[in-house]
Amino acid sequence: MSRFDGKVAVITGGGTGIGLATARRLLAEGASVVICGRRKERLQQAAADLPQDRVLIFPADVSERAQCDALIQAAIDRLGRIDTLVNAAGMNLVGTVEQTSDEDWHKCGGADLSSVFYTTRAALPHLRTTKGSIVNVGSVSSLGGGWSHAGYNAVKAAVANLTRSVACDEGKNGVRANTVCPGLTITEMVDAIMDDDVLLEKAWERIPLRRAAQADEVASAIAYLASDEAAIITGIALPVDGGQTCTDGGPERGK
């Protein structure tokens, strides 16, 4: 497939997990990519086996507006255009409202939400030129509440609604914006969960497919939404969750 020949994608959180899997997928389909992350060494490791003539690494803390502006400008200066913005940067935050410190609340909001706002604002003039698209990585937490993740649930829900607002405002300019909402996915963020057999058994009770997603499966959904095949799709929050959000929350009969 060559859906992205000649196109340029900027990917935050591109050094690990879903962001890196997305970079690999878009590169395989012909794109040039800018991968952004906080750690230069990690980005260099991630890019080591990627096609060097189509990869630009850019270390940045995307919770900071000025660094988001610099990221987008670097993409334009080096590659001349932006067709796709993928916001995959983020962090998890465990805790109820009472258990969440002010520091962690602001840190999670910066990493998961402010980053999307700042990169979107910086990229929009260029996306209007290319009639491009934005794909934001939300979560099943974008679609509903849950236990012991009050701050994370709040900011991920905000990501989905910010995305809908951008879709409304920018549709007339030919820019699409969508959210993918992964469930449990094999990344560094969930390593502790994957080692907890009791917690996993509880998870499987809520996931019809009885397994976690692989990062490249989420990347496939992102690539589709970013491609011209999805030219009529904007403003959606697409669950990529093994069926977790299709249930009514009740137990399986006979158990």
Side-chain angles (χ1 to χ4, degrees), residues 76-197:
I76 294 299
D77 290 345
R78 292 286 298 274
L79 299 172
R81 60 187 289 153
I82 299 173
D83 299 273
T84 300
L85 171 64
V86 179
N87 283 301
M91 61 169 283
N92 193 17
L93 178 59
V94 178
T96 65
V97 168
E98 290 183 314
Q99 293 166 344
T100 300
S101 68
D102 291 355
E103 180 183 1
D104 286 343
W105 166 251
H106 289 295
K107 186 182 296 184
C108 185
D112 291 50
L113 180 58
S114 294
S115 61
V116 176
F117 182 87
Y118 293 142
T119 55
T120 297
R121 187 168 63 184
L124 273 173
H126 310 291
L127 292 170
R128 290 173 189 140
T129 298
T130 59
K131 309 300 183 188
S133 71
I134 301 165
V135 184
N136 295 322
V137 179
S139 166
V140 290
S141 296
S142 300
L143 306 173
W147 292 268
S148 299
H149 283 77
Y152 181 79
N153 291 340
V155 296
K156 284 300 187 181
V159 167
N161 223 27
L162 173 60
T163 307
R164 294 183 188 103
S165 297
V166 172
C168 290
D169 291 335
E170 294 300 324
K172 62 183 179 293
N173 298 316
V175 177
R176 297 182 299 109
N178 293 290
T179 309
V180 293
C181 299
L184 185 61
T185 304
I186 305 297
T187 66
E188 290 180 354
M189 190 180 290
V190 301
D191 280 349
I193 295 174
M194 300 310 296
D195 291 334
D196 188 330
D197 291 338

Side-chain angles (χ1 to χ4, degrees), residues 13 23 38 45 55 58 88 95 156 188 196 203 216 238 246:
R38 288 181 295 116
Q45 292 171 4
V55 173
F58 192 90
K156 284 300 187 181
E188 290 180 354
D196 188 330
D216 58 0
L238 176 66
C246 78

Side-chain angles (χ1 to χ4, degrees), residues 193-204:
I193 295 174
M194 300 310 296
D195 291 334
D196 188 330
D197 291 338
V198 174
L199 190 58
L200 277 181
E201 186 59 35
K202 291 181 179 179
W204 301 153

Side-chain angles (χ1 to χ4, degrees), residues 223-238:
Y224 169 68
L225 289 174
S227 76
D228 290 340
E229 291 182 79
I232 196 61
I233 300 174
T234 194
I236 70 164
L238 176 66

